[in-house]
Amino acid sequence: SSGINAEWPLRPGGNMGLRVLLLVYMFGLALVGTVGNIIVAIATLNPVNFDIDKATLLLIRHLAVADFLYTLTTHCSILLSGLGGNHWILGPQLCYIFATFRWIPGTAGHLIILTISIHRTWTIQNPLQPAVRCRVIVGVTALIWIISLTPSLSAVGVGATACFDDVIKTCASTFYTMIEYKTLLSLLSFLFLLLPMLLVLGLNGLLLVISLRHKLSYRGLRTVIFVCGLFILTIMPYNIAVIIRALNGHVNVAFELFYGYVYPLNSALNPILYTYTNRQFREMLVTVCRKHVFPKQSTSF
């Protein structure tokens, strides 16, 4: 990335109005991404309150956990950097940890959305088949989390360090700038970013065509299509940048700033989409908020 700067810490600078605007933006994403995904994870623990099958709810719960972890390592770190005067304030060790291991929840989220798309497409095409057992989904999600270690372990294996990225205002791995490992980085980007996006796009296109052709009002279909659609829209700019770099092209700094702040929308807006597209989610989120977030105070003495 052309925005990576090796100075430690980076001197404050830049347009003050833009900095304030980005701080407000990242605060909103951090708030929704943390609180919203925690509430979603709690709400899905009681599947009897939803008309979505248990397997999909389990996948949504794991997606909420991945989105929560990604929010902590990305949105919150950018927010802290902005509040700290546009430089990293948590020390070089945490810079390395955040930069190297944020790939884990990011990769897991991509693969979980792909799994949701595969599961729902298979279900809608085979309505008479028995539902997928939750123990199968537990095994699949465990495998997803293990596979998601691959990019981070690759960065550790090649000896990548971390430094502050002046474009997106957080720590980034130097894996991105290690020319000798460009082929490996391109392969990882294809396997865990571009390929999942293309498969999700194709599967949800098929899902939409089938539902419209047969006039199906399938349970949870709207939620799945909206979540996967958001995934495609937010990840596509980053994939375009990856393709440009793979072709030895230069990515404009303004475009880096654009995809750097569009990409995190995926993990923060998912809880909003759940509540917008599904009545049971709205009701359960209100119930969870009343019980756990804003409990009524007892008036008895």
Side-chain angles (χ1 to χ4, degrees):
S1 170
S2 60
I4 292 180
N5 191 309
E7 294 181 12
W8 185 271
L10 190 74
R11 295 191 304 270
N15 184 283
M16 180 59 70
L18 179 60
R19 287 172 58 188
V20 172
L21 180 63
L22 293 178
L23 270 179
V24 173
Y25 172 74
M26 292 312 301
F27 175 78
L29 292 186
L31 180 64
V32 176
T34 51
V35 177
N37 283 299
I38 289 174
I39 294 175
V40 167
I42 295 174
T44 54
L45 291 174
N46 194 357
V48 298
N49 295 304
F50 295 94
D51 59 5
I52 303 176
D53 64 277
K54 293 181 180 180
T56 301
L57 279 178
L58 182 57
L59 289 169
I60 288 177
R61 188 185 313 150
H62 278 269
L63 180 59
V65 171
D67 287 340
F68 170 75
L69 294 175
Y70 188 81
T71 298
L72 286 182
T73 56
T74 303
H75 306 61
C76 294
S77 65
I78 295 174
L79 183 61
L80 287 175
S81 297
L83 294 174
N86 257 15
H87 67 270
W88 185 256
I89 62 175
L90 300 180
Q93 289 80 17
L94 281 179
C95 179
Y96 175 77
I97 292 172
F98 275 50
T100 304
F101 295 101
R102 75 161 57 98
W103 274 315
I104 297 174
T107 302
H110 300 164
L111 297 180
I112 290 170
I113 289 177
L114 175 59
T115 304
I116 291 174
S117 300
I118 294 172
H119 169 63
R120 300 300 276 180
T121 303
W122 182 88
T123 303
I124 201 172
Q125 288 187 304
N126 301 274
L128 300 181
Q129 295 293 327
V132 178
R133 294 184 178 182
C134 285
R135 65 176 61 183
V136 175
I137 299 299
V138 169
V140 170
T141 51
L143 183 61
I144 285 174
W145 284 103
I146 293 173
I147 293 174
S148 299
L149 294 171
T150 304
S152 295
L153 294 179
S154 298
V156 174
V158 300
T161 57
C163 58
F164 191 83
D165 189 327
D166 191 27
V167 175
I168 60 174
K169 307 302 181 188
T170 188
C171 287
S173 175
T174 56
F175 193 14
Y176 290 113
T177 58
M178 300 175 74
I179 299 176
E180 63 271 30
Y181 295 108
K182 181 179 179 180
T183 301
L184 175 59
L185 182 61
S186 298
L187 177 62
L188 292 173
S189 299
F190 173 76
L191 291 176
F192 299 117
L193 286 173
L194 184 58
L195 184 60
M197 186 198 72
L198 294 176
L199 291 174
V200 168
L201 180 62
L203 288 170
N204 281 274
L206 176 62
L207 196 63
L208 187 60
V209 168
I210 293 174
S211 62
L212 292 176
R213 179 179 297 174
H214 299 283
K215 297 181 180 180
L216 298 176
S217 179
Y218 198 70
R219 297 179 302 172
L221 179 61
R222 191 181 178 200
T223 302
V224 171
I225 290 178
F226 270 70
V227 169
C228 294
L230 175 66
F231 168 74
I232 293 167
L233 290 175
T234 54
I235 197 177
M236 189 173 292
Y238 181 78
N239 277 313
I240 292 173
V242 169
I243 294 172
I244 293 174
R245 288 199 184 98
L247 298 174
N248 294 315
H250 173 71
V251 179
N252 184 274
V253 174
F255 186 65
E256 282 193 16
L257 182 65
F258 171 72
Y259 77 69
Y261 285 96
V262 168
Y263 185 70
L265 276 172
N266 182 56
S267 57
L269 293 186
N270 276 339
I272 296 176
L273 285 183
Y274 300 148
T275 57
Y276 173 73
T277 59
N278 190 280
R279 178 178 56 84
Q280 283 79 21
F281 259 111
R282 287 196 294 273
E283 294 173 351
M284 277 302 299
L285 291 180
V286 169
T287 301
V288 170
C289 285
R290 287 176 178 173
K291 288 185 177 180
H292 301 283
V293 182
F294 306 109
K296 289 184 178 181
Q297 305 241 346
S298 175
T299 56
S300 60
F301 294 93

